[in-house]
Amino acid sequence: MEWWESILMGLAQGLTEFLPVSSSGHLMIARDLLGVQSEGFLDFTVTVHFATVLSTIIVFWAPIKKLFGGFFKFKYNDETDYILKIIVSMIPVAVVGLFFKDKVEILFGDSLRTVAFCLLVTAVLLCLSDVLSGRINRVNNSRNGISWWQALVVGLAQAVAVAPGLSRSGTTIATGLIAGVKRENMAQFSFLMVLVPILGEQLLDLVDMLSGEAAISSGIGFMPLALGFLSAFLSGLFACKVMVALVKRARLSWFGLYCLVVAGLILFFA
């Protein structure tokens, strides 16, 4: 992998991790367009995903600090309620990750046509969230603006979004909006609920590499990994802030249109 290729793929990861267009799908697209060899790609993927996790923590550091400060008062307050609902939302993806990860990987494979199909599903979800947003009664008296069942439904959406091409942020945000969660409450919950699963996923990949189940490749040097990390981290900071603002105001169907166009191009040229 050349240094400029690592920067471009880091940008692809950082910008699309938080925009509802699927980072995993775009990383595969960027790899194929640039002609990057698959050798060492797992190393690179783990590195750039970790970079975007760090950017999320920095953007949401104030609410994260507040949440843990309230949680460790060891009483049932707003912070405890919020964290427990995040834990509920993580149950479905934890089940998939612990018991069905290999089957999911086999089912979806590494094909760009699979990415195209999942991008089409993402497009439908994003457009539906805009169409239905004006028809759903969003009077939500639940604590922190999200109920227990809504947290579970959003968690189920996250579990489905393990497929490459299904946007994690797009799927969870759109599902939350369709379920009746207000826009101003959904963006933060969506980004915070994915922190632990993403960290857990990267930790498992790292354990696999260290244990020899997934070989640590010498095909990627330190410099490309460092440049990819920096590129994903900086672009992730930007994209995370932009996405929070967009969820509160903009129509997600524009991103749905983008996913539709990309899926069409893949199916036409692949």
Side-chain angles (χ1 to χ4, degrees):
M1 181 185 296
E2 301 292 335
W3 65 269
W4 58 270
E5 292 174 333
S6 67
I7 291 176
L8 288 178
M9 288 199 294
L11 282 172
Q13 165 64 27
L15 291 175
T16 57
E17 177 66 38
F18 305 104
L19 300 180
V21 293
S22 175
S23 63
S24 59
H26 278 74
L27 204 54
M28 288 174 60
I29 293 170
R31 183 193 66 184
D32 283 19
L33 286 177
L34 294 172
V36 175
Q37 298 296 320
S38 59
E39 182 184 7
F41 192 68
L42 174 61
D43 307 28
F44 185 82
T45 300
V46 171
T47 300
V48 294
H49 272 85
F50 183 65
T52 50
V53 168
L54 287 182
S55 64
T56 308
I57 292 173
I58 288 176
V59 171
F60 288 103
W61 178 246
I64 289 173
K65 183 179 179 181
K66 181 182 177 184
L67 283 174
F68 280 105
F71 181 78
F72 286 109
K73 290 180 180 177
F74 300 106
K75 60 181 181 179
Y76 197 83
N77 49 28
D78 286 344
E79 290 78 16
T80 301
D81 177 83
Y82 200 86
I83 288 179
L84 289 177
K85 286 174 180 175
I86 287 178
I87 292 173
V88 167
S89 76
M90 293 189 304
I91 293 173
V93 74
V95 171
V96 171
L98 291 173
F99 300 106
F100 302 106
K101 182 181 179 182
D102 293 339
K103 293 181 179 179
V104 169
E105 289 176 348
I106 294 173
L107 178 64
F108 291 104
D110 198 30
S111 168
L112 282 184
R113 287 190 171 271
T114 301
V115 172
F117 173 76
C118 291
L119 282 172
L120 290 174
V121 176
T122 299
V124 170
L125 271 175
L126 293 173
C127 292
L128 270 178
S129 70
D130 274 349
V131 170
L132 297 177
S133 62
R135 305 179 183 179
I136 297 173
N137 180 14
R138 297 189 182 276
V139 178
N140 195 333
N141 296 320
S142 301
R143 201 165 188 170
N144 290 307
I146 185 167
S147 66
W148 294 98
W149 76 267
Q150 287 169 331
L152 181 60
V153 167
V154 173
L156 289 169
Q158 179 180 219
V160 173
V162 297
L166 265 179
S167 167
R168 196 190 305 254
S169 61
T171 301
T172 54
I173 290 172
T175 301
L177 294 177
I178 293 171
V181 183
K182 293 181 179 179
R183 282 176 173 262
E184 57 267 26
N185 298 323
M186 195 57 236
Q188 177 176 295
F189 189 85
S190 172
F191 290 139
L192 292 181
M193 68 180 279
V194 305
L195 279 180
V196 175
I198 292 179
L199 280 172
E201 183 180 354
Q202 303 317 305
L203 180 61
L204 289 174
D205 287 337
L206 183 60
V207 169
D208 287 344
M209 287 191 291
L210 294 176
S211 65
E213 292 184 24
I216 302 177
S217 172
S218 58
I220 299 181
F222 172 78
M223 186 57 68
L225 286 176
L227 290 174
F229 178 92
L230 185 61
S231 176
F233 175 73
L234 294 177
S235 58
L237 284 176
F238 168 78
C240 188
K241 293 179 180 179
V242 168
M243 189 56 198
V244 172
L246 285 175
V247 171
K248 292 179 179 178
R249 293 189 293 270
R251 294 178 62 85
L252 296 181
S253 52
W254 289 110
F255 291 103
L257 179 61
Y258 169 82
C259 291
L260 185 64
V261 170
V262 173
L265 290 174
I266 292 174
L267 292 173
F268 183 78
F269 290 105

